[in-house]
Amino acid sequence: MIRIGVLNLQGDVSEHLEITYKALSKINIDADVIKVKTASDVLKSDGLIISGGESMVIGKLIENNGLRTTIINQNIPIMGTCAGMVLLAAETDYYQPLLGLIDMKVIRNGFGRQKQSFEEEIQILGDNFKGIFIRAPYAEKVGKNVEVLAKLDDKIVAVKQGKYIATAFHPELTEDTKIHEYFIKEVLKCVE
Amino acid sequence: MLHGTEVLKKGFAKMTKGGVIMDVVNAKQAQVAENAGAVAVMALEKVPADIRISGGVARMADPLKVQEIMEAVSIPVMAKVRIGHFVEAQILESIGVDMVDESEVLTPADEKYHIDKKNFTIPFVCGARNLGEALRRIDEGAAMIRTKGEAGTGNIVEAVRHMRMIMGCIREIQNKTEEELWGISRKIEAPLELVKETAKHGRLPVVNFAAGGVATPADAALMMQLGADGVFVGSGIFKSENPEKFAKAIVDATAHYDNPELLAEVSKNLGKAMPGLEMSDIPESERLQSRGW
């Protein structure tokens, strides 16, 4: 049985746990979903989700707990949403700790402050999706190995590089399990 | 493109879960808070401990000061308005503050009505002492609740009382029948729909933080173990002997609230916490928590 971890340092962790359970039951996969706080939790995981929150705070807590190298060396599929997208990036416009797993430069709060936060229909994985963007980042540029999954106007808001997936918006705040299902399938592929 | 929806407002609050929101009075303190790992800062003219000492009418901070703080950090910036003072809230919204705290720490502007928070694009946080008060604020549009505690005292006892009141009442209503919930809704003066939603999920319909009297890492962890989603620290950081150390220790304690070994580590050698106030030394009339209803 596969085990999916949700990094539990700061942010909307319980929302990711809930929608992951929902996605699993929808595609009829038996899996464990655990909260990840320590290196040993990371080592137990076949896939990892990094929630929304403050990327600076989550980044500092990753460093303080000595999780950074463990997460990178674990070599498992990782999905990051919003703050999680920032943390997966190789580069941002602000000085802060990063995991650097996706070859992209991310602009934090790229659409503005909370007042400018928005909901907008986007196209991803060949379907419509309700994009919830909260002080969201976007990718300003991506490397040639990075697949762009979604754009809003000219801004890149979802990407995939190998087993790493990042979205600038929050699928965990919707009822739509599509993106989590996609991630779970990615985890299954890697376990095989 | 939709702005200011319930999902966006409540979603913003959800992103602060597990974090520490710190009171700051200038750009330099805001940077200290950000470096220590604050999830947001609350921009103020004076911290509650100083408001308590200086007396007089406490109002919204100078918008220029709030803007200086917004420019100094990349994390969200919140600011306080007086209870019922919707124009102060309009002003803060216009300069782009990320969240407004309709706060009993400032002198109330309206003795009868809180702000109609649904009229705003930006989200609000409000204080509460019990479940009824929390649900009334949520009904008015609050996207986040915090305990009132007793601000500026460095004494956790009131925040504990309020968190226990709220969580205890939620536990009580979880096994009630439909008819019993009607009665509870009338008794606690809260809308039936919100009472039902709370009973069904076993938690408030919005994020619920602790505030008012948090002074040490252990205080923060205590509130988290009692069920808080995160912690506001007012005077506790910049009135302590060593703000940088206290700030970082409280951030770590909030993230690892259920790990006593780690709590022991981060609590070591911090220097003096802010001086505290015994509740019996504060006359009823000077207690901030009794403002609002």
Side-chain angles (χ1 to χ4, degrees):
Chain A
M1 191 162 68
I2 58 161
R3 191 178 283 132
I4 293 175
V6 180
L7 191 64
N8 182 28
L9 295 171
Q10 193 275 316
D12 67 336
V13 177
S14 59
E15 285 71 12
H16 270 292
L17 289 169
E18 261 170 52
I19 196 165
T20 304
Y21 278 121
K22 235 167 99 181
L24 285 165
S25 84
K26 206 167 161 203
I27 51 177
N28 229 338
I29 305 284
D30 213 10
D32 246 359
V33 188
I34 62 165
K35 290 184 182 176
V36 169
K37 218 165 217 181
T38 62
S40 71
D41 297 333
V42 176
L43 295 173
K44 279 188 276 189
S45 304
D46 301 307
L48 184 69
I49 294 173
I50 306 177
S51 68
E54 273 304 309
S55 61
M56 173 101 74
V57 180
I58 303 173
K60 280 177 194 289
L61 290 167
I62 286 175
E63 293 235 308
N64 295 350
N65 291 323
L67 288 181
R68 193 172 178 274
T69 37
T70 317
I71 292 174
I72 294 169
N73 293 342
Q74 182 73 348
N75 199 21
I76 49 172
I78 304 180
M79 176 168 76
T81 63
C82 196
M85 173 172 183
V86 176
L87 287 163
L88 285 172
E91 195 187 350
T92 62
D93 57 334
Y94 208 81
Y95 181 76
Q96 65 174 88
L98 298 172
L99 293 169
L101 292 169
I102 297 181
D103 182 14
M104 62 177 168
K105 181 181 179 183
V106 160
I107 306 298
R108 286 184 52 194
N109 311 138
F111 298 90
R113 307 189 71 96
Q114 176 59 16
K115 203 162 92 170
Q116 285 91 35
S117 290
F118 61 94
E119 292 180 35
E120 178 74 303
E121 201 78 12
I122 56 164
Q123 267 73 50
I124 187 166
L125 308 173
D127 215 338
N128 285 349
F129 196 87
K130 183 172 154 189
I132 296 172
F133 293 81
I134 298 177
R135 286 172 53 95
Y138 68 87
E140 188 187 53
K141 56 177 186 210
V142 297
K144 60 178 187 319
N145 295 325
V146 178
E147 183 187 345
V148 173
L149 297 180
K151 270 186 169 188
L152 189 62
D153 301 328
D154 55 343
K155 293 188 169 116
I156 298 165
V157 293
V159 297
K160 180 172 188 285
Q161 180 178 358
K163 52 176 99 62
Y164 305 121
I165 300 163
T167 70
F169 48 92
H170 295 279
E172 76 279 13
L173 295 184
T174 70
E175 301 293 315
D176 194 334
T177 53
K178 195 181 303 132
I179 290 173
H180 283 74
E181 288 170 35
Y182 180 69
F183 175 65
I184 293 163
K185 285 174 189 158
E186 197 62 35
V187 176
L188 287 170
K189 244 192 273 169
C190 283
V191 173
E192 281 165 15
Chain B
M1 192 174 280
L2 301 169
H3 295 281
T5 61
E6 287 292 294
V7 170
L8 293 168
K9 291 179 183 178
K10 290 179 182 169
F12 170 81
K14 286 174 181 172
M15 298 311 145
T16 65
K17 285 197 294 182
V20 182
I21 300 167
M22 302 182 190
D23 277 7
V24 298
V25 299
N26 55 45
K28 201 168 155 241
Q29 287 188 355
Q31 280 161 349
V32 169
E34 181 173 65
N35 286 334
V39 77
V41 292
M42 178 74 68
L44 282 163
E45 201 88 36
K46 287 181 198 148
V47 294
D50 289 331
I51 291 176
R52 204 170 263 293
I53 294 164
S54 62
V57 174
R59 309 180 179 94
M60 171 189 81
D62 182 336
L64 182 64
K65 186 154 245 178
V66 179
Q67 280 174 316
E68 281 168 12
I69 290 169
M70 286 163 59
E71 276 156 31
V73 293
S74 69
I75 54 178
V77 175
M78 309 182 177
K80 289 184 192 290
V81 302
R82 287 177 266 179
I83 289 172
H85 207 315
F86 53 86
V87 173
E88 285 186 346
Q90 289 165 1
I91 290 169
L92 291 179
E93 177 168 74
S94 84
I95 64 170
V97 159
D98 295 292
M99 181 176 242
V100 169
D101 183 1
E102 187 181 20
S103 176
E104 69 284 359
V105 169
L106 305 183
T107 311
D110 193 320
E111 294 186 321
K112 215 167 163 194
Y113 301 111
H114 281 251
I115 296 172
D116 180 358
K117 293 165 272 286
K118 292 189 170 135
N119 281 336
F120 289 80
T121 305
I122 54 171
F124 279 68
V125 53
C126 288
R129 287 161 299 177
N130 53 54
L131 183 60
E133 198 174 3
L135 296 182
R136 287 194 290 282
R137 295 295 87 78
I138 295 166
D139 190 42
E140 294 158 2
M144 180 181 195
I145 292 295
R146 55 170 176 77
T147 58
K148 284 184 170 173
E150 188 59 33
T153 60
N155 189 340
I156 198 68
V157 67
E158 294 301 303
V160 168
R161 185 201 313 282
H162 300 157
M163 189 56 78
R164 281 198 182 277
M165 287 280 282
I166 293 173
M167 302 309 283
C169 195
I170 292 173
R171 280 187 288 270
E172 253 172 54
I173 67 174
Q174 271 182 280
N175 294 316
K176 300 288 185 194
T177 63
E178 174 87 12
E179 307 89 300
E180 287 167 337
L181 290 178
W182 300 344
I184 285 161
S185 155
R186 282 196 300 276
K187 189 173 139 220
I188 67 172
E189 296 178 28
L192 179 60
E193 280 316 305
L194 290 177
V195 171
K196 282 194 198 166
E197 193 184 338
T198 305
K200 186 177 160 201
H201 298 288
R203 58 155 301 136
L204 285 183
V206 302
V207 168
N208 180 23
F209 267 48
V214 177
T216 66
D219 287 348
L222 172 66
M223 297 312 299
M224 294 298 287
Q225 288 198 26
L226 286 173
D229 291 318
V231 178
F232 282 89
V233 188
S235 320
I237 287 167
F238 291 98
K239 286 287 169 187
S240 73
E241 201 175 67
N242 202 331
E244 284 89 350
K245 273 193 186 174
F246 263 87
K248 191 175 171 302
I250 292 176
V251 168
D252 285 335
T254 304
H256 300 282
Y257 64 90
D258 52 359
N259 180 345
E261 289 82 19
L262 196 136
L263 294 175
E265 271 321 299
V266 304
S267 301
K268 284 177 187 167
N269 198 25
L270 293 177
K272 278 206 188 82
M274 72 175 285
L277 267 178
E278 178 60 50
M279 287 311 294
S280 56
D281 293 339
I282 310 168
E284 283 295 332
S285 63
E286 286 175 24
R287 295 190 184 179
L288 304 175
Q289 59 178 276
S290 48
R291 295 166 164 181
W293 42 92

